[in-house]
Amino acid sequence: MSSITIDKENFRVCPQTSFRVHKPTEPLIIINAVMAILTLSTGGIAALLMGLHKSPGQAWTLLKSTTAYYRVVNIHGFNMLIFWVIWFEVALMYFVPTVLLNSPLFSTKMGWGAFATMLIGTLGLEYILIFGSPKNIVMFTAYHPLTAEPAFYMFYLIYAVGVLLAGANFFLTVYQAKKTGTYPHKSLPLVVYGVFVAVVIAVQAILNGAIVLSIGWLYSLGVLKHPVDADLWKQVFWGFGHSAQYINITATAAVWYTLIAISTGAKPLNEKFSRLAFLLYLVFTVPVATHHLIVDPAYSMPFKIINATILALGLAVPSLIHAFVIPGALEKQVRLQNPDDEEVTDSLFGWMRKLPWNEHPAIPAIIWSVFLFGVGGIIGSIQGTYQLNMITHNTLRINAHFHLTVVAGTTIAFMAIAYYVIELIPRRKILFGRLKSIQIHLYAIGLLLLSGGMFIAGVQGAPRRTATYQNYASNGFKLPAWNFGLWMLSVGAVFAVTAGVIFVVLIVGSLFFGEKLPKEGDWSSAIPGGDPEVLEEEHGDGLEAPGTLGLGVLFMILFAVFYIVTFLVLSQGWDIGRLTYP
Amino acid sequence: MALTPPPKNWQAIPLGRDEKLWSLLIIVMITMMGLMTVGFVFVGNQNPPEEYRQIPTEDYRQYAIDGNDASGAVKTTIRGENALSLLSGVDAQGNGGDIYMQARQWNWLAPMTNFTANGIQIARGETYRLHLGSTDVLHGFELIGADFLVTIQVVPGYDYIVDFIPQETGIFRIICNEYCGAGHHTMFSFMEVVDV
């Protein structure tokens, strides 16, 4: 076993976790997380304005024009899907390998370089989105040949270069930790492995993005005289746009494993199972993008079926694995810790009551995040199905799907880990004790209402990204009964944004005014570099997580029923598609 | 713990009973979904349209005019708006029944040489070939108000041919459901389905 050189100058031992923390990396983690919170706040203000504007007849709107609405949609999309998640993921890319591999960051200079590049990209793009010409309102999708001003593409690309730099720093840090022996073991910890997969997905996503953005840029500049094939552009765009969501999902799963470990000490049920799941994300994410083009003219039926539906079903597998393992691991841990408590041993769900709901925001966060992510996954699998896409594409139902996955799934998990990062890195105690757990509940309930409303209106055909529906009701036409869903959406948005404000106040307030926790732990308590244990097989006759399995069966039944019912609804429709003529 | 090195023999530790059962459930579910969607292509009556032609964006309007002229459509007026009426669908030889719609910022049009319609009138139970194309950016065709909700992407450079049989009489809204610029919400048309 290689020995670890102890660099007491640049490291401290965390008194709470006994992990070694590389001091020069700490400000980088904090500044990237702060950028994440700032952009989340910007996106959140836009979310409130959109949510109120979506109320039936724009009853609650604060916006003066339809263009103002499209502008806030644009601001919301970029801040939430690009800035908030990626800034936070970069913070994780520095936090995870340095702390868990006992390693310094490969290069803090490169880290600051990446920060400066991403900052220029963010500020430039934010300026264009908020104050720029309405020509730049092209939405997150920015489908060619709808074209923004050249600066839009330029700042977007600058931001992407910064992210690539941060990604390179992550890979080099992992490589360095292995090479220099600060991490002397063969296999990476599961969480590092998960983040590793996320960064690989990020690199391929950004390369796809660079292609389509460069084309957009050249066309906008007039260098490219004619638009390229719009569907080919769209296909490559989703190689970026959809993969980018799988960076989020993979990072979310890694965060889930972190949260169960720090809140209860729970281990994954089986390392191999969880690692396989992470690997499957990589295998299936790269080729899958066509489910955005199911009702597009280009591409043949077999290509669409294989890429959009069969491979996309494969992509559901890793999420189903993680979503089972996470609650299952919590259940197993509670059962191991309470072998004599009848409330736990004699009931399927008694373990849930024993979880530290109030002490650890991780618990409500995991339960809500996994549950809502699962529901969002069901909706997503349905609308990604070849035929079912025809009754869901571009309706608010799509928004219901990704608000449940990316917002409820990823953002709730990220919010919870942010509370721990503040206590572990700047070492400030989060203010107001239990409020952080209440915040998670409030946010989740808001999202449930928001997404539920989107789903209900979307099932009846309410289109997304549309400033007003009133025009359709002209000349004696009546609108379908969208109002109930739209009210629900607006109320949900108010709840969620309120909880978002509490989150930002807690994080920023604690960063400045939280009780200072001791920074320097005892070096003798530092986690040694010794060999990991050899685990004996310890499966008994019974199940380790019967409650979770029961819930899983229920989930699958709901999934199947929902899937079949949607097909039944479709089959009541007009004949369309493969018709034989009379 | 997921934060520390895994057990040294992690690759050799077999899956527990819980994980095996869950994997089985996943496989059953995925297989069922895969079979349903592939099977529905062959037995279902509602599948995404498969036929398309590549037409240069700048040529689509003339292509649509020629197509509507050739299909024998006539002008009519519905609720004070111009409409293109074609009450006979595809015949036994597989000819006719073609209606060409042009999407542009921010209208749906059914153009002919002598006039341009805002909406279309068709007959219930007939088979139609609806051609959808755009002369600028991406748009989305969505029918609302009928019992059948359908949404189809309209892409510049393509003529997307949607074979369908209207099965419900009434007058329905065609809207645009792909963001296409500042006037996106003002882009709508109508489809009247009548019995003949």
Side-chain angles (χ1 to χ4, degrees):
Chain A
M1 187 181 67
S2 51
S3 64
I4 298 170
T5 41
I6 297 173
D7 176 3
K8 291 193 181 174
E9 186 86 347
N10 282 321
F11 281 86
R12 64 180 177 86
V13 171
C14 176
Q16 197 169 331
T17 61
S18 301
F19 279 112
R20 266 164 279 215
V21 182
H22 183 235
K23 289 190 216 163
T25 310
E26 288 185 282
L28 266 176
I29 298 169
I30 295 167
I31 195 85
N32 280 284
V34 164
M35 281 308 295
I37 306 285
L38 288 176
T39 49
L40 175 73
S41 308
T42 313
I45 293 167
L48 182 67
L49 293 172
M50 284 164 78
L52 294 175
H53 187 88
K54 255 333 197 204
S55 54
Q58 285 72 54
W60 288 354
T61 192
L62 301 172
L63 298 169
K64 299 253 183 300
S65 67
T66 51
T67 303
Y69 169 78
Y70 292 125
R71 188 183 288 276
V72 294
V73 177
N74 210 27
I75 295 169
H76 178 70
F78 279 98
N79 275 286
M80 296 314 204
L81 285 174
I82 300 289
F83 296 140
W84 144 247
V85 285
I86 296 180
W87 278 109
F88 199 81
E89 277 149 4
V90 170
L92 290 178
M93 273 151 60
Y94 298 150
F95 174 68
V96 165
T98 55
V99 171
L100 301 186
L101 304 180
N102 285 322
S103 172
L105 194 66
F106 173 75
S107 165
T108 40
K109 267 192 195 146
M110 195 168 151
W112 286 106
F115 170 76
T117 318
M118 285 171 66
L119 186 67
I120 293 168
T122 305
L123 292 177
L125 209 46
E126 292 279 17
Y127 181 83
I128 290 169
L129 298 175
I130 299 170
F131 304 108
S133 139
K135 196 176 181 309
N136 295 302
I137 305 175
V138 293
M139 302 294 164
F140 170 71
T141 44
Y143 287 147
H144 181 76
L146 191 66
T147 304
E149 291 174 333
F152 167 89
Y153 300 97
M154 187 184 76
F155 284 113
Y156 207 163
L157 284 164
I158 290 174
Y159 182 78
V161 169
V163 181
L164 279 181
L165 270 178
N169 213 351
F170 169 85
F171 288 129
L172 290 166
T173 303
V174 174
Y175 174 74
Q176 171 189 264
K178 295 273 255 179
K179 193 165 177 240
T180 59
T182 62
Y183 185 79
H185 317 293
K186 195 159 159 279
S187 305
L188 294 173
L190 183 62
V191 169
V192 184
Y193 182 78
V195 175
F196 193 95
V197 170
V199 183
V200 176
I201 295 174
V203 170
Q204 76 90 19
I206 291 170
L207 294 179
N208 279 323
I211 295 171
V212 287
L213 290 174
S214 302
I215 291 170
W217 193 18
L218 292 175
Y219 185 59
S220 175
L221 284 167
V223 176
L224 192 68
K225 294 277 182 268
H226 294 283
V228 299
D229 186 294
D231 260 352
L232 183 62
W233 193 97
K234 195 179 171 194
Q235 169 84 1
V236 180
F237 171 81
W238 285 111
F240 153 70
H242 195 81
S243 296
Q245 305 325 312
Y246 272 84
I247 312 169
N248 299 336
I249 291 170
T250 313
T252 301
V255 168
W256 284 343
Y257 286 103
T258 312
L259 291 175
I260 61 169
I262 46 187
S263 58
T264 68
K267 295 175 188 170
L269 292 177
N270 181 298
E271 282 279 342
K272 203 162 47 176
F273 202 41
S274 297
R275 276 166 203 264
L276 173 73
F278 277 119
L279 196 63
L280 288 178
Y281 277 136
L282 194 59
V283 172
F284 286 114
T285 299
V286 177
V288 170
T290 312
H291 55 286
H292 293 269
L293 290 95
I294 291 173
V295 290
D296 274 51
Y299 309 111
S300 65
M301 180 272 286
F303 181 79
K304 285 177 179 172
I305 285 258
I306 290 167
N307 190 309
T309 298
I310 305 297
L311 289 177
L313 284 176
L315 198 45
V317 173
S319 294
L320 286 167
I321 293 178
H322 292 308
F324 173 75
V325 168
I326 295 294
L330 283 177
E331 176 176 0
K332 184 180 171 186
Q333 182 74 353
V334 173
R335 287 184 190 277
L336 286 174
Q337 286 170 345
N338 302 279
D340 304 317
D341 186 337
E342 284 177 7
E343 207 190 322
V344 173
T345 52
D346 293 355
S347 87
L348 269 184
F349 305 117
W351 58 276
M352 283 188 134
R353 252 171 282 151
K354 293 282 169 195
L355 292 168
W357 286 91
N358 296 324
E359 300 77 9
H360 279 285
I363 299 301
I366 293 164
I367 301 297
W368 277 115
S369 170
V370 171
F371 166 63
L372 295 178
F373 177 79
V375 177
I378 293 181
I379 298 176
S381 300
I382 287 171
Q383 67 207 19
T385 297
Y386 184 62
Q387 296 85 358
L388 304 180
N389 189 252
M390 220 172 20
I391 55 172
T392 56
H393 182 66
N394 274 349
T395 64
L396 280 176
R397 200 167 161 168
I398 307 290
N399 305 52
H401 154 67
F402 67 75
H403 278 85
L404 286 168
T405 52
V406 181
V407 191
T410 301
T411 299
I412 289 178
F414 282 10
M415 281 174 165
I417 193 98
Y419 289 131
Y420 293 94
V421 170
I422 295 292
E423 294 196 347
L424 293 174
I425 298 297
R427 297 289 290 152
R428 297 281 194 156
K429 199 159 174 51
I430 299 291
L431 297 166
F432 307 120
R434 279 184 60 180
L435 187 59
K436 51 189 192 279
S437 289
I438 296 168
Q439 182 266 328
I440 300 278
H441 285 296
L442 184 63
Y443 191 71
I445 291 166
L447 278 166
L448 195 58
L449 285 171
L450 174 87
S451 308
M454 285 172 168
F455 183 81
I456 291 169
V459 165
Q460 300 172 81
R464 61 185 295 200
R465 289 174 172 170
T466 302
T468 169
Y469 303 136
Q470 298 313 308
N471 297 323
Y472 307 151
S474 56
N475 210 359
F477 288 90
K478 268 204 225 106
L479 285 180
W482 294 340
N483 286 0
F484 176 74
L486 295 174
W487 280 124
M488 212 169 135
L489 185 166
S490 288
V491 172
V494 172
F495 267 71
V497 172
T498 307
V501 170
I502 298 173
F503 170 74
V504 172
V505 168
L506 280 181
I507 292 289
V508 177
S510 307
L511 193 56
F512 290 106
F513 307 112
E515 182 196 327
K516 283 185 183 167
L517 300 166
K519 279 205 144 188
E520 299 284 347
D522 186 359
W523 272 96
S524 63
S525 73
I527 287 187
D531 268 1
E533 51 186 327
V534 169
L535 202 69
E536 297 298 326
E537 269 187 59
E538 49 178 336
H539 302 303
D541 287 338
L543 294 166
E544 288 168 331
T548 305
L549 198 61
L551 290 172
V553 171
L554 192 66
F555 174 85
M556 285 298 204
I557 292 170
L558 284 174
F559 195 167
V561 167
F562 203 7
Y563 194 77
I564 293 165
V565 164
T566 314
F567 257 111
L568 286 175
V569 168
L570 175 78
S571 68
Q572 302 304 307
W574 300 0
D575 290 3
I576 186 167
R578 303 168 68 86
L579 304 181
T580 44
Y581 299 125
Chain B
M1 217 164 56
L3 306 175
T4 48
K8 220 172 173 180
N9 58 335
W10 66 266
Q11 280 152 315
I13 302 169
L15 295 187
R17 191 173 297 199
D18 310 64
E19 295 96 279
K20 282 182 188 160
L21 282 169
W22 185 244
S23 304
L24 183 69
L25 268 174
I26 293 177
I27 292 166
V28 168
M29 186 69 202
I30 298 290
T31 311
M32 180 209 82
M33 291 166 73
L35 288 176
M36 272 188 75
T37 181
V38 173
F40 203 85
V41 171
F42 301 101
V43 301
N45 291 324
Q46 294 82 17
N47 279 289
E50 289 168 33
E51 200 182 338
Y52 67 88
R53 239 173 262 158
Q54 284 186 287
I55 305 281
T57 309
E58 57 275 20
D59 298 346
Y60 185 82
R61 186 177 165 88
Q62 191 55 47
Y63 171 80
I65 289 171
D66 295 345
N68 281 332
D69 285 350
S71 70
V74 295
K75 180 182 173 177
T76 186
T77 306
I78 299 166
R79 293 188 186 173
E81 290 191 68
N82 275 343
L84 180 152
S85 174
L86 185 69
L87 298 179
S88 62
V90 176
D91 66 20
Q93 283 73 47
N95 299 318
D98 290 285
I99 296 175
Y100 291 76
M101 288 195 90
Q102 176 202 354
R104 69 166 195 205
Q105 291 167 322
W106 292 286
N107 312 94
W108 286 103
L109 303 170
M112 295 182 75
T113 304
N114 297 326
F115 85 113
T116 295
N118 303 321
I120 57 174
Q121 184 190 48
I122 52 179
R124 185 165 72 141
E126 294 282 316
T127 303
Y128 288 96
R129 292 159 55 81
L130 179 63
H131 299 251
L132 298 174
S134 162
T135 48
D136 41 48
V137 298
L138 272 82
H139 297 280
F141 174 96
E142 183 179 329
L143 191 66
I144 56 171
D147 286 343
F148 180 49
L149 166 71
V150 64
T151 135
I152 305 281
Q153 192 85 58
V154 183
V155 182
Y158 290 87
D159 167 20
Y160 200 8
I161 304 164
V162 183
D163 295 344
F164 78 106
I165 305 173
Q167 282 156 340
E168 180 189 350
T169 56
I171 179 158
F172 314 116
R173 269 269 177 253
I174 293 167
I175 63 169
C176 175
N177 72 4
E178 182 67 73
Y179 174 76
C180 56
H184 165 56
H185 53 281
T186 63
M187 182 172 169
F188 53 88
S189 166
F190 59 91
M191 173 194 284
E192 187 181 35
V193 182
V194 293
D195 271 328
V196 283

